[in-house]
Amino acid sequence: MSAAIHAIAAEGLGAPTATIAKEAGVSNGSLFTYFETKADLFNELYLELKAGIASAAMEGLPEVHELRAQLFHIWSNWVNWAVSNPEKRRALAQLGVSDEVTPATRDEGHKTMAGIRELVEQIRANGPMGTASREFVGGIMISLAETTMDFMVQDPINADKHRKAGFEALWRVLA
């Protein structure tokens, strides 16, 4: 999986399986012992990356009842994970728009985010986005997160300031 992340981040989804196999230290044919097709590899990698983000975002979530504090914790972990894992972020971005990743895999990937989704639903229920679709709100969250991550990477001295500003924008949208 690490080899696939590296190859996709460097060469895109068109990275040859031979490149992935070489990076993994196995023969090209051996790669297909683990994955029947390149699409199968992409789908498994998508799920692994989604699970990684969800796990990182929820790690150490405080048991406080204040929704704002919980969401800030998740937000901070999410953007910090992405900034700390640029290859994984690039690979997931490419997989996210790939036709090779099946709708069933996308649904499974969304399930890994259930805890985050539930918290966002609690917050948005009575806010200005209460009548907007879950998908629309998710799109806004991802756009804000990507912008925040980009600024954190481009201006690391002010990364904390950008993380907080991105969260404030999200909170205003949701609550």
Side-chain angles (χ1 to χ4, degrees):
M1 292 298 199
S2 295
I5 290 166
H6 180 74
I8 292 169
E11 299 182 36
L13 297 174
T17 55
T19 300
I20 296 168
K22 183 178 179 182
E23 176 84 20
V26 299
S27 70
N28 193 29
S30 294
L31 186 64
F32 295 106
T33 300
Y34 303 101
F35 305 99
E36 199 169 304
T37 65
K38 188 175 180 181
D40 289 339
L41 170 62
F42 285 173
N43 281 271
E44 287 298 318
L45 183 56
Y46 178 85
L47 290 175
E48 182 175 300
L49 291 170
K50 285 294 230 181
I53 289 174
S55 176
M58 298 296 284
E59 185 177 334
L61 184 66
E63 294 294 326
V64 298
H65 294 291
E66 186 181 311
L67 297 177
R68 181 183 169 98
Q70 289 182 331
L71 187 60
F72 181 71
H73 179 88
I74 289 169
W75 173 266
S76 294
N77 284 357
W78 176 17
V79 297
N80 287 343
W81 177 92
V83 169
S84 298
N85 296 282
E87 282 190 333
K88 289 180 179 181
R89 179 183 173 207
R90 280 194 302 275
L92 184 58
Q94 292 190 41
L95 291 166
V97 296
S98 172
D99 291 335
E100 297 290 335
V101 177
T102 67
T105 297
R106 291 182 194 285
D107 288 345
E108 194 66 31
H110 292 309
K111 289 178 186 175
T112 66
M113 304 289 187
I116 298 166
R117 188 172 54 248
E118 289 170 14
L119 178 64
V120 170
E121 286 299 309
Q122 287 180 42
I123 295 167
R124 84 175 186 110
N126 297 313
M129 300 303 283
T131 60
S133 73
R134 181 183 305 187
E135 292 79 13
F136 184 77
V137 173
I140 290 172
M141 284 183 66
I142 290 169
S143 295
L144 282 170
E146 289 295 329
T147 300
T148 300
M149 293 169 204
D150 288 343
F151 274 82
M152 290 173 70
V153 168
Q154 295 165 11
D155 183 16
I157 292 172
N158 292 304
D160 190 54
K161 177 180 148 188
H162 298 308
R163 181 178 46 255
K164 289 176 182 174
F167 175 76
E168 288 303 322
L170 176 64
W171 186 255
R172 287 184 190 124
V173 166
L174 293 178

